[in-house]
Amino acid sequence: MTMRDVATVAGVSTATVSKVLNDRPDVGAEVRQRVLETITRLGYRPNAVARGLRSRHTDTIAILTDDLEGIFTNALMRGVEDAASEYDVSVLLANSYGDPEKERKHLRRLIDRQVDGLIIMSGNRVRPRPGPALPLPGTPYVFLYEYGTSEPVPSVLPDDRGGAVLAARHLTGLGRRRIGFINGPASWDATRDRLEGLTVTVHEAGLTLDPALVRHAPSWSPEDGYALAESMLATHRPPDAIFCASDDLATGALAAIHERGLRIPGDVAVVGFDDRSLAVHQRPPLTTVALPLHEMGRTAGSLLLAAINGAPQRHELIRVPCELKVRASTSG
Amino acid sequence: MTMRDVATVAGVSTATVSKVLNDRPDVGAEVRQRVLETITRLGYRPNAVARGLRSRHTDTIAILTDDLEGIFTNALMRGVEDAASEYDVSVLLANSYGDPEKERKHLRRLIDRQVDGLIIMSGNRVRPRPGPALPLPGTPYVFLYEYGTSEPVPSVLPDDRGGAVLAARHLTGLGRRRIGFINGPASWDATRDRLEGLTVTVHEAGLTLDPALVRHAPSWSPEDGYALAESMLATHRPPDAIFCASDDLATGALAAIHERGLRIPGDVAVVGFDDRSLAVHQRPPLTTVALPLHEMGRTAGSLLLAAINGAPQRHELIRVPCELKVRASTSG
DNA sequence: CTGAAAGCGCTTACAG
DNA sequence: CTGAAAGCGCTTACAG
């Protein structure tokens, strides 16, 4: 069943069928109608491979990730798919499992298959990323949630600094004066920006940050959040609020505060970061800075699609604003 | 950069270049050598779209899942990819997010793109599955980890019954005589097979199952495992072993046993099912029936590839054997 | 508004 | 062993 069959049955040329299929204006109304009917009657579907060969585009983009099982991967992907579906573009998924050799192989295959563009997305950084593992001549790409891209590539990240500003304003606005900060491991780029946002905002409120209450956790785990919160609480001037650079850290902090018999938020207010589903299930539900994962995915997708459609690629970092979710851990 | 360029530079015809590329025997050694060198020198890569149009196959299969974030999805996928890479076939991923409309759309697109075959994989059942959401004329497919496929489609599942037999033999071999069973929700097909395997094996050992100790949990969660174990332990003739139909259930059971101050495995031995990573981190590490996820994926991939290469499709259920992982929760 | 013709980059009988 | 030619199923100038 090919376009020729449709043409024959409808009594037109294949060129006309093609025009109808591609919504070109230069087809008469009744002819268009007849062709359309024939198509549905025969159940004809155009061969995407043939179309791709001729028209030089496949209406397909690919997401290449090294961390398909990552906690943020799904929301990011959905964002990309949302953007893509607006343009009627399919999205393929390829997983390198964190193996650079696999990444190269996938990249080559995707290029061979003529995908129109690529989104390179990570959770855990496989390697330093000056760009894709392969030069991508003529294929637009954008990085999504990839920290550590020193080179100027189009890249979409959360506004970590701005997110911390939101949290800090919320806390100072609530009258908290001694804010502790349990940051993630210093090796993560995001922790620098979050610390900076917090610091600047606290200073703007006329307060200072006590260095004893500002700590990098060795990992993002609840256990480390617990340990650091406990040590802050044990000082003779404990904090009246603890901001944590992840929800997992905050979970640990909540436990430490409870264990001391302190009230949340009465004695100590707690703010997390990420807005994972566990945040809302905490006791009390956790106020947190939501990572705009879905919006980041959308942004990356739209950027890529724009580039594919000829827009000039902006080789720069795009920061997508975070949103503060206020819950009972700060405003009971 | 096309095959014509390579042909010109190497001083041969495109037909010859094509033959070299496809490892056909009918090319002279020195010509082959020359073409190969030219290809690498020019960095030529064949256009997969053109090749696909002409040769009617794309060397690509797709996995269509409704549950990309499912706990078993990754291991299954890796198995499929392993099988595919042996055949030098790429695997595409498409996610329906559990939306039947999305599934249909993906299916249509994948067929339009001429994938050579499909693996339809689920964690949570979207709908009754007599087959794919769409008739797939001429495109081989196999179901992977899809329960409830009443119709005769090629389908790969774990040997749930056999897995339960392994667990039961282990327990009776250890001399346990009162075996409790915390099964999953009765609506899951797997629970029937697991119960049957357990029952038959226990009877073979000359023992009986006390109906009071055989229960369906309302969900697969640790909380339900805890509650049911607790109620079994509270009877005046408590079990000396508890078999759980999932590691999560077993986690809850372990907690209930600990809380009663009983020793594991001294007083009560515990066996789980799944072998998720949490099993090995329990106190004590959990003996469990490992789901052969990777092998299931491989099997589905191999079956599909064989079908693509012309093997007759066997429309039947393939059960892949489980493996018992013995750890300290049964043999301290 | 419609169609004949060329061509996208390959592969595949087939002739030599 | 090698190459000329046809053709996979579309789209795209172009002529009418």
Side-chain angles (χ1 to χ4, degrees), chain B residues 247-248 250-252 254-255 258 277-286 328-329:
Chain B
D247 289 344
D248 264 351
T251 301
L254 290 176
H258 278 130
S277 62
L278 59 86
V280 73
H281 293 117
Q282 298 305 306
R283 275 183 333 122
L286 184 66
S329 72

Side-chain angles (χ1 to χ4, degrees), chain B residues 301-323:
Chain B
S302 301
L303 238 41
L304 183 63
L305 265 354
I308 290 170
N309 291 324
Q313 281 265 57
R314 309 194 313 174
H315 284 241
E316 60 183 359
L317 246 56
I318 315 287
R319 293 281 184 173
V320 180
C322 299
E323 191 189 343

Side-chain angles (χ1 to χ4, degrees), chain B residues 3 15 18 22 24 44 47 54:
Chain B
M3 187 175 275
S18 174
N22 292 289
R24 305 242 179 245
Y44 165 75
N47 179 324
R54 182 58 234 242

